Amino acid sequence: MGDRVYREYDEKKASAAEAMAGVESGNRLFFGEFTLFPKLCDAALADRKDQLTDIGVDCVCYTQMPKMAEVDPDGEHFSINDWHFGGVSRKLHKAGRCNYIPLTYHQGPRIIRKYREYDVAVITTSPMDERGYFNYGISNSVTSAVIDKAERIVVEVNPNVPYCLGGNQESIHISRVDAVVEGRSDTLIQVPAANPSNIDQAIASHIMEAIEDGACLQLGIGALPNVIGSMIAESDLKNLGVHTEMLVDSYVDLYERGKVTGINKTIDKYKMAYTFAMGTQKLYDFLHNNPTCASYPVHYINDPKIIALNPKVVAVNNAVAIDLFSQVCSESAGTRQVSGTGGQLDFIFGAFGSKGGKGIIGISSTYTDSKGEVHSRINPTLSPGSIVTLPRSLVQYVATEYGMVQLKGKSTVERAQALISIAHPDFRDELANQAAAMGIG
Ligand SMILES: CC(=O)SCCNC(=O)CCNC(=O)[C@H](O)C(C)(C)COP(=O)(O)OP(=O)(O)OC[C@H]1O[C@@H](n2cnc3c(N)ncnc32)[C@H](O)[C@@H]1OP(=O)(O)O
Ligand SMILES: CCCC(=O)O
């Protein structure tokens, strides 16, 4: 077996230029997700710019500026799409160079299988193991669906990609690969936790009241989840479980402090189950060949029915704004796409279905714009064009630095009153007047 897979490997080994030589005008490409963007193949395709037109490139959350975009500022050759906006896509979008593809994350694989065609999938993986498998490392997500759909599969190997055990569908065998590109050994992109503010600390302290022994955690992106992680590490909480979309550094701290045993979980008992990871080398080292962790495709991890199988799920996610009707916008600033629905809807829905589960939106009561002006994030209505990420029918808990309220089962008037009670005091009177004017005061 060993000899056979290594023979096949040698036959398929190619430079990035050779691997990208087969790309033709009109092709649709998928490039590896999050921090596993395949940069050698990106550069090789950028070099072929003048030979190519109408190349579509999709990714889930570009974490570095594609060379294909840099060499083609007017989009005459490459059109770029993203299933989840971060800073890179915001910048590209501003320049008219990137479009968002809406989805609720757990449906991503199904949407790809039904509606998206890929001529070539280019993914970054760990080097091949002795059985012939390349591991998807820290980006499982929608990769297996893309692999099933694509006509040609190119893997760009990097020895620094941790070998992340499944779960399932975490690896691809050499027999399914068309070309193997070597030559990378760059350190993975490091995403340290943002420094928490006093406001993050205050929001986190309210959310901590909702977490009990045996809870199963999903902590979203940003400073707030990391503060919660630190607070849990310092608390008396015990026997926590992890079933989360994204694994971040704070889960490593929790595990090392003995807080995470997974003993109370119904599914993936004892395991920290996740679909992608972003953090620092500490996290990537922790994940490498670690049977405590289980990597799964997102159609499993984020399926609300799967999430709900574990008891006491606590899902904590951030938002941009919320209106007095309790609609939550987490992905746009007015009409400007800043992020995506991602897994927020999935986890808030799933957490409510879990026995004793809690879906929580943690949001600072105000936002200070680039001119230093302070705005309430709780407003009578969402600003025109804002995208509703979480409809009012699904929202459950909302926490700000002024407290946490539970909205399920409450009338529109009760919801508006509850939200006003956790708004910044400077805005409460005006919000109450507006609520009355809208018939919910
Ligand atoms: C991966 C996981 O987290 S799993 C969780 C499930 N997924 C989700 O919750 C997805 C939706 N949520 C999110 O994407 C994030 O939690 C967010 C966007 C709500 C907050 O994330 P953060 O990283 O704290 O956002 P950040 O404060 O950097 O703001 C992002 C952008 O929105 C802008 N923004 C944020 N709030 C506002 C506002 N009220 N008005 C105008 N612009 C705003 C910021 O200026 C920034 O844009 P810029 O970088 O171009 O200046
Ligand atoms: C692609 C999903 C990332 C998120 O949920 O924020």
Side-chain angles (χ1 to χ4, degrees):
M1 153 106 120
D3 283 354
R4 183 168 62 75
V5 295
Y6 288 113
R7 258 199 318 278
E8 197 167 350
Y9 184 97
D10 283 340
E11 283 162 18
K12 292 179 174 178
K13 211 158 71 173
S15 66
E18 287 164 343
M20 292 296 98
V23 173
E24 294 171 1
S25 291
N27 276 181
R28 296 290 170 260
L29 274 54
F30 183 93
F31 264 59
E33 308 172 57
F34 303 103
T35 55
L36 298 189
F37 184 73
K39 42 171 98 165
L40 299 180
C41 290
D42 168 41
L45 263 186
D47 286 346
R48 290 196 57 214
K49 174 193 79 164
D50 293 332
Q51 302 158 19
L52 298 169
T53 54
D54 186 27
I55 301 293
V57 184
D58 290 3
C59 178
V60 178
C61 203
Y62 292 93
T63 49
Q64 61 184 84
M65 188 55 73
K67 285 261 182 305
M68 291 176 282
E70 277 176 0
V71 299
D72 182 26
D74 297 325
E76 287 162 3
H77 307 272
F78 303 106
S79 64
I80 314 270
N81 292 305
D82 198 343
W83 294 86
H84 190 82
F85 270 26
V88 171
S89 297
R90 287 201 285 276
K91 208 165 158 193
L92 283 170
H93 184 63
K94 197 170 174 193
R97 290 294 285 112
C98 183
N99 295 318
Y100 172 64
I101 312 170
L103 89 166
T104 187
Y105 198 14
H106 84 279
Q107 292 183 348
R110 193 172 173 80
I111 295 170
I112 285 167
R113 289 175 200 279
K114 282 182 80 155
Y115 297 116
R116 217 76 193 156
E117 301 300 329
Y118 292 117
D119 298 287
V120 190
V122 191
I123 58 168
T124 302
T125 65
S126 67
M128 188 179 79
D129 68 15
E130 67 282 4
R131 293 186 178 81
Y133 284 97
F134 300 84
N135 183 269
Y136 298 153
I138 51 180
S139 301
N140 188 323
S141 182
V142 303
T143 297
S144 47
V146 168
I147 294 295
D148 288 349
K149 206 64 200 288
E151 297 287 326
R152 277 187 75 232
I153 297 156
V154 177
V155 300
E156 188 173 298
V157 299
N158 181 342
N160 289 320
V161 173
Y163 202 98
C164 295
L165 305 177
N168 69 42
Q169 299 175 57
E170 76 296 336
S171 301
I172 179 170
H173 193 259
I174 181 72
S175 54
R176 299 185 64 202
V177 170
D178 294 285
V180 182
V181 176
E182 293 179 340
R184 271 183 72 179
S185 57
D186 51 299
T187 307
L188 299 186
I189 293 172
Q190 306 286 305
V191 188
N195 280 335
S197 63
N198 291 340
I199 290 176
D200 292 321
Q201 303 270 2
I203 302 169
S205 64
H206 296 302
I207 293 174
M208 280 297 287
E209 287 166 29
I211 306 178
E212 48 186 310
D213 289 347
C216 185
L217 303 175
Q218 180 262 335
L219 305 175
I221 199 161
L224 177 66
N226 277 291
V227 188
I228 295 173
S230 314
M231 287 185 176
I232 295 174
E234 298 302 321
S235 73
D236 294 331
L237 286 167
K238 54 182 182 296
N239 288 327
L240 300 174
V242 173
H243 181 103
T244 190
E245 171 182 318
M246 176 166 87
L247 213 61
V248 294
D249 285 14
S250 60
Y251 290 105
V252 181
D253 301 333
L254 291 183
Y255 183 79
E256 284 173 352
R257 294 290 286 267
K259 298 290 171 190
V260 176
T261 61
I263 199 170
N264 200 39
K265 288 178 78 178
T266 311
I267 51 165
D268 302 302
K269 213 173 170 80
Y270 309 117
K271 300 264 185 195
M272 293 161 74
Y274 68 102
T275 195
F276 74 95
M278 262 205 285
T280 66
Q281 201 56 41
K282 171 170 89 173
L283 174 67
Y284 306 148
D285 291 343
F286 176 76
L287 279 166
H288 185 60
N289 266 323
N290 185 347
T292 304
C293 303
S295 156
Y296 279 99
V298 72
H299 68 255
Y300 173 81
I301 288 293
N302 278 37
D303 182 337
K305 295 193 292 298
I306 298 290
I307 294 167
L309 291 176
N310 282 313
K312 296 188 188 175
V313 170
V314 177
V316 181
N317 292 288
N318 205 337
V320 171
I322 179 163
D323 71 14
L324 290 181
F325 293 93
S326 63
Q327 306 186 97
V328 178
C329 164
S330 309
E331 61 190 273
S332 80
T335 55
R336 183 169 79 102
Q337 189 77 38
V338 296
S339 175
T341 304
Q344 181 165 122
L345 188 60
D346 299 341
F347 268 92
I348 299 294
F349 203 150
F352 182 66
S354 142
K355 190 168 180 218
K358 294 169 184 143
I360 302 171
I361 295 296
I363 185 171
S364 58
S365 69
T366 58
Y367 167 75
T368 306
D369 68 21
S370 53
K371 295 183 202 114
E373 235 173 273
V374 178
H375 306 268
S376 178
R377 285 190 192 268
I378 298 176
N379 293 305
T381 57
L382 294 176
S383 59
S386 295
I387 306 297
V388 175
T389 307
L390 198 57
R392 62 181 174 174
S393 48
L394 292 188
V395 69
Q396 188 181 9
Y397 287 90
V398 180
T400 71
E401 65 273 32
Y402 294 102
M404 183 159 79
V405 291
Q406 195 294 116
L407 301 178
K408 288 248 191 239
K410 291 203 158 62
S411 70
T412 50
V413 170
E414 289 166 335
R415 284 174 182 231
Q417 285 168 349
L419 289 166
I420 292 167
S421 76
I422 56 167
H424 191 286
D426 290 355
F427 295 95
R428 284 184 200 166
D429 287 347
E430 179 55 20
L431 286 169
N433 291 338
Q434 296 281 344
M438 295 189 303
I440 53 169

